[in-house]
Amino acid sequence: MPERSDPRRSLLIIGGAEDKIGRVTILRRFVRLAGGRKSNIVVIPTASSMADEVIEVYSTVFTRLGCPSVGSVDPQSRVDSSSEELAERIDAASGIFISGGNQLKLSQLIVGTPLGKAILRAHERGAVIAGTSAGASIMSQFMISMGEEGVTPRQRASQLTQGLGLVPGVIIDQHFDQRSRYGRLLSLVAGSPSLLGMGIDEDTAAEITNGREMTIIGSGAVFVVDARMAQTDAHEARRDAPLLVTGAVVHSLPYGATFDLETATLTDFVERHADVAVTAAKDQHDTATAAAALRH
């Protein structure tokens, strides 16, 4: 009897505002990883204040891309997240999509609950887990839940909260270039240099396979900062002071780059020209607009 191979474990971590109307490159990739016409996708809109619109938008897109079954799971409390019924929906899914919104809400309502554990089980058995914006941040073990924007890293400018832990050893930030979040990511890796910092632009995704190989798709880039050998004054700087960070290694990875997260090195690059002229709906602020456009 042949040996049973381990399942391919895939994550699709999206920086927010991914194209939902044009070529839908990133969402098309998600549906393909979930099984295409054989997929069973569950949307988790819990982070958003517009859950119904979020479900409508993604259900429409995924159905148009060939998914025959799109459901949703939207717990409103940790009691809800302890429901066997909700966990069973996750257990049956081939793809799970976590929307944008408020990542602290995701941490408070899902992390450490039976529903959160079902998401971890789904990943281990080979279901693809995708998250955009807040849904991207929650994938890391230590998640940015609050923080100031800007280029300069400052002491205590950000806050870490426990995430799902699907990507250990990495701090993930989103809307990275568009909201100038370099400083807060640098400040966090300065204080925790054993962790890689990862900032993902809008309409851009990091596809991570088996916890190690990361491939970039979309119209922007993924910024990776490795401060393991850097020098910093984070241990003695006063609150709000600009931080010294020198000797950090930074990587700007566009569409077509493949990166090894374990060694923090580029392993391949194929020049790609993503279409940056597509319409990208900006998370919940433009969700209603995207929903209206998709009805036509």
Side-chain angles (χ1 to χ4, degrees):
M1 183 176 180
E3 292 185 6
R4 185 176 179 181
S5 59
D6 292 332
R8 173 190 173 100
R9 294 177 291 114
S10 297
L11 299 171
L12 196 63
I13 308 175
I14 309 165
E18 71 283 355
D19 171 34
K20 305 175 184 68
I21 299 170
R23 294 185 178 180
V24 293
T25 301
I26 294 170
L27 298 180
R28 188 181 302 276
R29 178 61 178 164
F30 169 66
V31 172
R32 181 177 179 183
L33 289 170
R37 296 189 180 280
K38 296 181 180 180
S39 59
N40 177 14
I41 291 174
V42 171
V43 176
I44 301 178
T46 305
S48 177
S49 61
M50 302 172 63
D52 290 343
E53 287 86 350
V54 165
I55 294 168
E56 178 185 3
V57 166
Y58 287 109
S59 295
T60 300
V61 175
F62 296 151
T63 300
R64 286 187 177 180
L65 290 172
C67 176
S69 176
V70 182
S72 64
V73 165
D74 185 21
Q76 297 302 303
S77 67
R78 290 183 73 85
V79 173
D80 289 348
S81 291
S82 299
S83 163
E84 290 185 9
E85 180 187 354
L86 296 190
E88 287 171 358
R89 292 186 206 172
I90 297 298
D91 287 335
S94 63
I96 298 156
F97 191 93
I98 308 172
S99 82
N102 184 336
Q103 58 256 43
L104 188 56
K105 186 177 179 184
L106 289 174
S107 180
Q108 291 177 333
L109 298 188
I110 294 178
V111 172
T113 68
L115 178 59
K117 293 174 183 177
I119 294 172
L120 297 176
R121 285 198 306 272
H123 176 58
E124 289 300 319
R125 64 176 165 79
V128 57
I129 314 296
T132 183
S133 189
S137 290
I138 196 67
M139 291 198 187
S140 55
Q141 182 178 2
F142 302 105
M143 174 192 76
I144 301 176
S145 56
M146 297 179 185
E148 298 176 5
E149 297 175 352
V151 175
T152 302
R154 295 183 179 275
Q155 181 66 296
R156 301 184 186 179
S158 304
Q159 175 178 304
L160 288 179
T161 302
Q162 185 177 358
L164 285 168
L166 290 164
V167 192
V170 177
I171 302 171
I172 298 169
D173 210 347
Q174 19 77 9
H175 301 282
F176 193 66
D177 181 47
Q178 291 75 14
R179 300 186 186 178
S180 189
R181 288 177 166 172
Y182 303 93
R184 76 180 195 177
L185 189 63
L186 280 170
S187 70
L188 288 168
V189 297
S192 299
S194 64
L195 303 175
L196 287 179
M198 182 190 300
I200 309 176
D201 289 347
E202 293 180 354
D203 192 40
T204 307
E207 180 183 334
I208 300 177
T209 304
N210 294 333
R212 180 167 181 171
E213 183 181 81
M214 178 171 73
T215 303
I216 314 305
I217 62 175
S219 62
V222 173
F223 179 90
V224 176
V225 56
D226 178 0
R228 286 175 292 186
M229 298 300 171
Q231 181 180 348
T232 176
D233 66 341
H235 61 288
E236 57 187 358
R238 61 175 172 77
R239 186 182 183 91
D240 296 325
L243 289 174
L244 169 72
V245 183
T246 182
V249 179
V250 299
H251 309 263
S252 181
L253 307 171
Y255 193 3
T258 302
F259 190 81
D260 189 318
L261 287 172
E262 187 171 306
T263 61
T265 55
L266 182 73
T267 56
D268 193 22
F269 178 63
V270 178
E271 183 68 49
R272 303 293 295 268
H273 298 282
D275 185 353
V276 296
V278 297
T279 301
K282 307 295 184 185
D283 291 339
Q284 64 184 35
H285 301 292
D286 287 343
T287 296
T289 302
L294 288 167
R295 293 189 194 109
H296 297 295

